[in-house]
Amino acid sequence: MTSTTPVTSRTLTVPDGSLYYEVRGSGPLLAFVGSPMDSVPFIPVADLLASDFTVLTLDPRGHGKSIVNDREQDSTPELRADDLARIIADLDAGPAIVIGSSGGAITGLALALYRPEVMTTLIAHEPPLRELLDDRAELRAEGEDITATYLAGDRISAIRRFIASTGLTMPEAVFEHLFGGERTPEQLADERFFYVHELPYASWRPDLDGLRATSTRIIIGIGDTSTDLFCDRTSRALGAALDIEPTMFPGDHTGFMEDPEAFAKRVREVLQDN
């Protein structure tokens, strides 16, 4: 996927590796953050918002062009939040508005807890916080078994079970295109990093009192076609815990990919209203 907007690419050295990020546009700093999703799927929506914002996209540690020196090091929400804070400082353009998607929303919540001064607003779009759910013990056990299945060498079964656990559906042809066939060593390394060193941190439970007290304005986003799916449930549980009414966004868990124009329009509306 190629950007249609002029892009500046940078690499920031950190104590345990290096972080790749891109910047486009001008105006207030707005960061799109995923995990394990890298910067590429955010390009269309980033291009659309670059007319109003300096848009930051990044590859999270251990994925894409962001390198960790020790591939057996866990990727915790706190480490990823520290990475994001370092990038914002490197740009010297903050504080930022952060739009965190999925695991990136967890990164944003950790940032709101530990480095709130670098961020004014967090749109936490469908954070997968299973520890906030009543059936968390069952979900935790399933997650542990998915990681064990992956480590046992059955990567396809592990991936199928992970997708099923989210409630999302994927046509078989799409699944085969994304996960079947020949995979590069880099793709396999990134995939393993997720299943072994990130997925276990789906059991991360945020400090709810800390989030209530943070200086960061928190908006909880849910896709309008995600009703009753896993991340709809976790997002609503977070909203109930923080007494925040969730804000609806177009599409499902990856609405910014399905319809970037509609998603960018909604981002502008939400930020103007808040």
Side-chain angles (χ1 to χ4, degrees):
M1 193 176 297
T2 303
S3 177
T4 59
T5 304
V7 178
T8 299
S9 301
R10 300 183 183 179
T11 300
L12 174 65
T13 299
V14 293
D16 57 351
S18 62
L19 304 171
Y20 173 83
Y21 67 94
E22 297 180 350
V23 181
R24 48 175 59 76
S26 61
L29 181 61
L30 185 151
F32 277 101
V33 183
S35 182
M37 186 177 287
D38 62 20
S39 58
V40 173
F42 293 110
I43 289 174
V45 70
D47 281 350
L48 290 165
L49 288 167
S51 59
D52 303 304
F53 299 94
T54 299
V55 184
L56 162 68
T57 58
L58 63 139
D59 292 354
R61 59 174 42 236
H63 296 282
K65 298 175 184 177
S66 287
I67 307 300
V68 289
N69 297 332
D70 179 5
R71 297 290 296 186
E72 296 305 319
Q73 179 187 39
D74 289 342
S75 176
T76 67
E78 293 82 4
L79 275 174
R80 297 197 303 272
D82 184 67
D83 290 342
L84 180 54
R86 288 174 183 270
I87 291 173
I88 292 171
D90 188 54
L91 277 173
D92 194 25
I97 299 163
V98 174
I99 303 177
S101 171
S102 192
I106 291 179
T107 301
L109 291 168
L111 191 68
L113 285 170
Y114 304 115
R115 294 293 307 276
E117 74 279 3
V118 305
M119 175 173 58
T120 60
T121 301
L122 168 66
I123 298 177
H125 186 257
E126 301 206 355
L129 295 166
R130 69 185 179 205
E131 292 300 307
L132 300 183
L133 299 178
D134 292 339
D135 56 345
R136 56 187 171 271
E138 297 171 22
L139 293 167
R140 192 185 310 128
E142 172 69 2
E144 291 169 354
D145 199 43
I146 288 171
T147 295
T149 299
Y150 192 92
L151 284 171
D154 191 355
R155 55 176 293 271
I156 293 297
S157 291
I159 296 169
R160 288 189 186 280
R161 289 177 59 185
F162 171 70
I163 293 172
S165 73
T166 68
L168 298 171
T169 59
M170 183 178 295
E172 184 61 24
V174 175
F175 182 91
E176 285 297 324
H177 172 72
L178 292 175
F179 306 110
E182 292 296 322
R183 307 283 286 169
T184 68
E186 292 78 14
Q187 288 173 322
L188 290 172
D190 286 4
E191 182 184 277
R192 183 183 186 279
F193 191 74
F194 171 69
Y195 282 95
V196 179
H197 297 292
E198 283 185 46
L199 184 58
Y201 286 91
S203 61
W204 185 74
R205 182 184 177 91
D207 175 358
L208 296 173
D209 287 336
L211 289 177
R212 295 184 190 103
T214 184
S215 59
T216 299
R217 179 175 56 194
I218 297 176
I219 298 165
I220 299 170
I222 303 177
D224 58 17
T225 62
S226 292
T227 304
D228 295 331
L229 298 183
F230 172 70
C231 284
D232 175 86
R233 295 172 57 212
T234 58
S235 300
R236 292 186 186 280
L238 178 63
L242 300 181
D243 196 24
I244 296 173
E245 181 66 27
T247 297
M248 305 310 293
F249 282 78
D252 60 18
H253 194 59
T254 56
F256 54 89
M257 295 172 61
E258 300 163 21
D259 191 341
E261 290 189 5
F263 198 92
K265 180 175 182 289
R266 185 61 175 144
V267 167
R268 289 190 177 94
E269 292 171 349
V270 169
L271 292 178
Q272 287 172 355
D273 292 342
N274 287 271

